[in-house]
Amino acid sequence: MSWFKRLFAPTPPVRPVLSAPARQPLAQGSAPGGQAGRTAAPPPASPKIRQGHTFDALTDPRRRRVSINFNSTQPVQNRRDLYGRAEKLEALFDAVVLREQHALIYGARGSGKTSLVRVFADYADQQGLVIIYTACEPQQSFAQLLKPYLQTIPRSCITEGRDVLFRDALRNLSDNLTPRNAVDFLEEFTTRRLIFIFDEFDRILGREVRLEFASFLKLLADALLPVQAVLVGIGGNLADLITDHPSLRRHLTAIPIGRISASAVQEMIDVGAEQAGLPFDAASKELIASLACGSPYHVRLFCAQAGLQTLRRGRDTVTSTDALAGILAATEDWALMSDEDAAIFRYLAEKNAALHHALAHVARSAAMLDAVSMPHIVRELPGGQAEQAIQAFGPALQRRDDGQYVFRDSGAPQFFLALLLTHTPSRADTPDNVIPLSETTRLGHVV
Ligand SMILES: Nc1ncnc2c1ncn2[C@@H]1O[C@H](COP(=O)(O)OP(=O)(O)O)[C@@H](O)[C@H]1O
Ligand SMILES: [Mg+2]
């Protein structure tokens, strides 16, 4: 039986309500054991007026420090705050800046793609490159996608003496701008190296637009223009770009972002905790790291919530109980925005105890590797459980064209693992549903 089970099996903790630390002074004259002496005055009646200190926790300055240092809503802005990404940063820099290739960065929601490209942009900027970044919108045509980039090219990039012509050409850009027009435009007016970053590229759903985009990248490379594109998005469907346009392959470096290492997670928690002035004990760190599965977003989210729960309870160290309460609070927040998946997950966590181990295995594989490979999990799980578990997730888990399974919300499997913790079966012989951090490498991947 894992320590998680021993710790949490008896009573699933509920989300605590906002309350002040228990500050009950001993009644005057009372004995240390709580027994009032014979001469003790009767305990004072409970006060009729509300005590101001009830909301002390709200104004604790550490609350803000916890929220800032474990902010999970903003991408990392500077390299000092980017943990565990040295290799990916180098791969991106090598591909785009040194080898002048286009790059494709893909991975789950919250794995840190935007953070990585922001820090990369900072480096590239220092090398004198001009970076233009936007996030794509669904339903955009190729022209709508590209025009803002052309319109944002700074004057310092324009061939000398061609400013006026450039501005005229910009004004006359057609709404039917084609990949060829765009490349001609860049060839005619720009001199300096440009890097266009297309974040959330997966939101471009139209296959037609993706194909046009692929030919734009190919034409840029063929024209030997010093303009590179970095495409950023979730999931393998970005690979369609290459499948549909095989000749693009040699001009494009694919960078699966994966997860950050266990030591990077530890460092992230330790530094955040120190800056927030709120230590996390070893068990709380292990619980958070184990459930976050190397996803920086989940690490920060769970740490922030764990920290806030601790302060609400008037304590000075985050314990595993606070961490679990925080993780569950975060899971409830996620469930409010994802009711269909949350209903499936809750159902599976409440019923199906015999399948919990297999379900957790599928969720953990997806959380760590983005996609679940049926042949792999069939080898790892006993008789028929792999198929049953995949089926049990219903529409929350979808089959991709390449035969692998992905959660339709790529950030969801961590929340399923959290929900499972609250429904740990009591039978001692059922397999553990949480794999301690030290063992997570058994899925064949260093977390
Ligand atoms: N390497 C990292 N180190 C520390 N925090 C990170 C890292 N990568 C991402 N984060 C944090 O995780 C959250 C999600 O990151 P983001 O870059 O927006 O992910 P994505 O673009 O993949 O959805 C942000 O709050 C960000 O600050
Ligand atoms: Mg992003």
Side-chain angles (χ1 to χ4, degrees), residues 71-76 81-85 107-116 199 232 257 260 268 296-298 300:
N71 182 329
S72 61
T73 57
Q74 296 295 322
V76 166
D81 295 332
L82 191 75
Y83 291 85
R85 289 303 188 198
R109 183 167 71 80
S111 51
K113 302 176 295 295
T114 303
S115 300
L116 180 74
D199 201 355
V232 184
I257 190 160
I260 60 172
M268 210 170 138
Y297 166 74
H298 292 88
R300 285 192 156 191

Side-chain angles (χ1 to χ4, degrees), residues 204-348:
I204 305 286
L205 302 173
R207 187 174 156 75
E208 205 44 42
V209 180
R210 286 175 182 234
L211 281 175
E212 278 183 296
F213 200 84
S215 51
F216 171 61
L217 299 192
K218 181 71 174 53
L219 287 169
L220 276 178
D222 289 346
L224 299 176
L225 278 184
V227 180
Q228 272 79 48
V230 177
L231 313 186
V232 184
I234 299 171
N237 56 355
L238 288 183
D240 291 353
L241 266 184
I242 316 175
T243 334
D244 289 339
H245 240 278
S247 57
L248 196 55
R249 200 178 291 260
R250 65 201 154 85
H251 302 294
L252 192 70
T253 300
I255 303 178
I257 190 160
R259 302 292 173 264
I260 60 172
S261 68
S263 57
V265 169
Q266 294 290 340
E267 196 187 351
M268 210 170 138
I269 302 177
D270 287 342
V271 173
E274 187 167 338
Q275 284 169 352
L278 185 66
F280 283 57
D281 75 10
S284 70
K285 287 195 279 188
E286 186 164 359
L287 177 60
I288 289 169
S290 171
L291 291 183
C293 300
S295 158
Y297 166 74
H298 292 88
V299 173
R300 285 192 156 191
L301 178 71
F302 293 162
C303 284
Q305 292 289 344
L308 294 179
Q309 294 292 343
T310 309
L311 295 176
R312 276 174 199 170
R313 294 158 173 210
R315 288 206 280 262
D316 291 321
T317 299
V318 181
T319 64
S320 53
T321 312
D322 305 314
L324 184 64
I327 289 165
L328 294 181
T331 304
E332 274 180 39
D333 289 345
W334 166 83
L336 288 175
M337 307 298 290
S338 325
D339 30 348
E340 206 188 329
D341 285 1
I344 296 172
F345 288 1
R346 285 201 175 109
Y347 177 84
L348 294 177

Side-chain angles (χ1 to χ4, degrees), residues 13 37 51 71 82 104 108 113 126 133 158 184 191 199 207 232 244 246 259 284 294 299 343 359-360 372 380 430 442:
Q51 298 291 306
N71 182 329
L82 191 75
L104 180 67
K113 302 176 295 295
Q126 281 186 349
Y133 167 100
I158 305 304
D184 288 347
T191 46
D199 201 355
R207 187 174 156 75
V232 184
D244 289 339
R259 302 292 173 264
S284 70
V299 173
L359 293 168
V372 182
E380 289 158 350
T430 43
R442 81 181 194 206

Side-chain angles (χ1 to χ4, degrees), residues 390-419:
I390 295 272
Q391 254 195 349
F393 279 113
L397 192 65
Q398 300 185 328
R399 191 171 191 278
R400 266 191 338 212
D401 290 347
D402 63 3
Q404 303 220 47
Y405 289 84
V406 288
F407 279 89
R408 64 180 164 190
D409 171 357
S410 55
Q414 284 88 346
F415 297 118
F416 176 68
L417 293 171
L419 277 175

